Every structure is written in structure tokens, then in C-alpha cells.
Amino acid sequence: MAKKKTAAITGVGAYLPDYILDNIELSQMVDTSDEWIMSRIGIKTRHILKGEGLGTSFMGEKAVLDLLEKTNTDPMDIEMVICATVTPDMFFPSTANLICYKTGMKQAFGFDLSAACSGFLFALNTASKYIEAGTHKKVIVIGADKMSSIINYKDRNTCPIFGDGAAAGLLGPSTRGYRSMMHSDGGGGQHLYMKAGGSAYPATHETVENNWHYVYQEGQAVFKAAVSNMADTSVEIMERNKLTPDDIAYLVPHQANLRIIEATAHRMGLAKEKCMININKFGNTTAGTIPLCLWDYESRLRKGDNLILSAFGGGYTWGSIYVKWAYNGGDFSK
Ligand code: UT7
């Protein structure tokens, strides 16, 4: 019997802006300290995109160009592009559409997907269905956010957490393992949101004066929900696929808080060494974190490695994907 067609990631590319905002500089902007940020969140530095008129598509374009070059892929061969982001350049055209245009992916149709910090997983899952259906063979999934465009650098509850960055994965057909579990709960929306700028509260002097165009977060409520939901779904996907901790090469967790990552790994019975962690360098880049982890750890990954990708974010949204890695780090011939 023919094996079921699934989707596999066959390459990753990334872009991080040059400017690095460290905890020392941040503690001159708000009442915080390196010690507090390191002990409560685990972030040392984050990258910030500077430059007038540069939005998320600027970073997405660079990540895609990196991906196309590394994988020796002709942009005209790409059939579909999904960009997960909550900081699109503008409402329309979509950021994916702009990236397709800027990188010469003229045969592709592109659209954005909004699921906050779970965005990359939701996009990966959507794209995988086109691959499984057999209608598409080369799809690019981007996770990109310019969080600095919606962060209030006078609010110490949120500004240390976030950074800017983009990464992209190339998806192709495979017969290797791929399973997903996705969830959302609109009831969680009240704890993490950006109030204005949409159709409910279009921009006015009042919305600007009230700081409604910035991220609002009730940290503790989100923290508790993140720990329980990320851990639950990660353990469940292990159980459903009969995976023991020994079977797993890496947990690839959303990088929101080192304590959330450690709690999730602990519940899964995984040692810290089996956990991709780069929150210290890049902070929380929202949809960017998971593909940035894959890109950062790519050289250590081996064909056949079992990975559990796991995220929790605004919405609430959360989920886990089990994927078998398709190539040895740095080898794009397969
Ligand atoms: O990626 C999307 C999903 N987001 C998340 O998963 C984030 C989840 N939440 C968190 O990671 C954490 O809740 C935060 C990092 C946001 C906050 O950490 P916390 O340990 O929950 O701190 P807290 O909000 O309970 O505040 C504890 C204390 C407060 O002071 P008092 O009232 O005890 O005197 C805060 O005012 O820490 C204070 N505080 C700070 N102090 C120094 C809050 N932010 C800062 C700061 N620097 N930046």
C-alpha cells in the first residue's frame, strides 16, 4: 500500500535586523534591569528593525531570499506563500503578496494568516494540507513580525519581551511523519490584544492618546494559560504518536518566556539540551520564533529526527506539530 503523503520542511532561511537592543539600553528607557529581565523572562538582547517605511515585508523578503539561495530554488517554482504575522505592513495588500512581488515568486498566490505567536504553526498546518492534497508541491511558510511597531517602550510590562525578526520554511511532499493539533479560544482574547487600529476602533486622536495601538498583556493570566496549554498539547501529541522522551530529538517551543519553555520540557520529560532555546538572543518575535529556532539549530538537525513544534499565543491560540526532519543540516541535495 502506498504511504500517506505528508508535508516536510526541506529548508529554512531567516533575517534579523542589524540593530540590537540590549537590557542595559532598555533599562535606560524604562524602570527595569538586566537582572529582572534575565531572571523573569530570560532575554538578554533583541533585534529591532530601524528605518523609515520598513515593515514586516522587508524582513520577510530577506528571509525568503536567504531560503531560495540556500535551497537553490527558482522563485518561479513556488506555488503558494503564507505569511504568519500580526504586524503586516498594512491591512492590504497582504504582506505575503508584497513578499511574492519583491522576490519574484510570480507564480505563487500569497496570503497572510493571523494567529499571533502560534501563527507559524497555524500557517505550516494550512500549507501542509495543500501538499497532502497533492495540488501543491513547493510552498513557502513565513513567520515574521516587527513587534517594535506595536510596543510601547514606556511600558515595562511588555517592552522587554518582544523583538523583530523573520524566518521562512520551504515545504514539499514527503511520506515521513507529520501530525498536528491546533486550538483556539477567543475567551482568552481579553488578556492579550491590541485594541485599536482595526474596524472596532479605527485610529483617532483618542486611540493614540490612550495607547490603544500598543500590545496590552495581563502577564500572569497569559503565563498560566501558556504553561498549561503548551505542556498539555505537547504531551498529548507525544502520546498520540507513541513517542517517548528518548524518541524526540528536539522540542521547538515558542520563545515567550524561558520559564514557560522549561515547564513544557519538564512535563514532556525532556532534558533542557533537547530544547531549542534562543530567547536570550532574539526575544519573542511572535510568529518568527519557531522558524528562527529551526534556522538557528539547523546544522545540528539530522534526517529522521523527531521534532515537536509547540506554541501558545494571543487569541488564545495554541498547538503542537510532530514532524520528522527531512535532511541533514546544511545538506540541501535531498
Ligand atoms: O508570546 C505570547 C504569549 N505571552 C506569554 O507567554 C507571556 C506570559 N507572561 C510572562 O511571561 C510573564 O508574566 C511576564 C514576563 C510578562 C511578567 O513576569 P511575572 O513574573 O509574571 O511578573 P508580574 O507581572 O507578576 O510582576 C511582578 C513584579 C511586579 O511588581 P510588584 O507589584 O510585585 O511590586 C511588576 O510591577 O515585577 C514588576 N515588573 C517589573 N520589574 C522590573 C513587571 N515588569 C517589570 C520589569 N522590570 N520589566
Side-chain angles (χ1 to χ4, degrees), residues 189-202:
Q190 59 185 308
H191 304 299
L192 177 52
Y193 60 86
M194 189 176 90
K195 184 165 180 169
S199 54
Y201 294 97

Side-chain angles (χ1 to χ4, degrees), residues 31-33 36 40-41 117 156-157 160-161 192 217 219-220 222-223 226 254 256-257 259-260 284 312-314:
D31 181 15
T32 190
S33 65
W36 192 94
R40 304 309 296 166
I41 320 175
C117 299
R156 71 176 185 171
N157 290 305
I161 301 170
L192 177 52
Q217 175 171 252
Q220 285 193 9
V222 179
F223 186 93
H254 171 53
N257 188 316
R259 291 181 289 142
I260 298 174
N284 181 350
F312 180 89

Side-chain angles (χ1 to χ4, degrees), residues 13 18 21 31 76 80 124-126 134 143 157 175 186 191 211 213 242 247 293-294 308-309 329:
D18 293 336
L21 174 61
D31 181 15
M76 293 294 279
M80 177 170 118
L124 187 61
N125 203 39
T126 305
N157 290 305
T175 50
H191 304 299
N211 291 326
H213 294 271
K242 301 188 174 39
D247 298 324
C293 276
L294 293 171
I308 304 284
L309 284 46

Side-chain angles (χ1 to χ4, degrees), residues 10 14-15 22 41 80 90 112 127-128 137 144 166-167 169 180 185 201-202 211 216 222 233 235 266 271 292-293:
T10 57
Y15 174 77
D22 64 19
I41 320 175
M80 177 170 118
M90 51 192 108
D112 290 355
S128 76
K137 289 193 175 62
S180 64
D185 171 13
Y201 294 97
N211 291 326
Y216 168 82
V222 179
T233 185
V235 168
H266 181 72
L292 276 170
C293 276

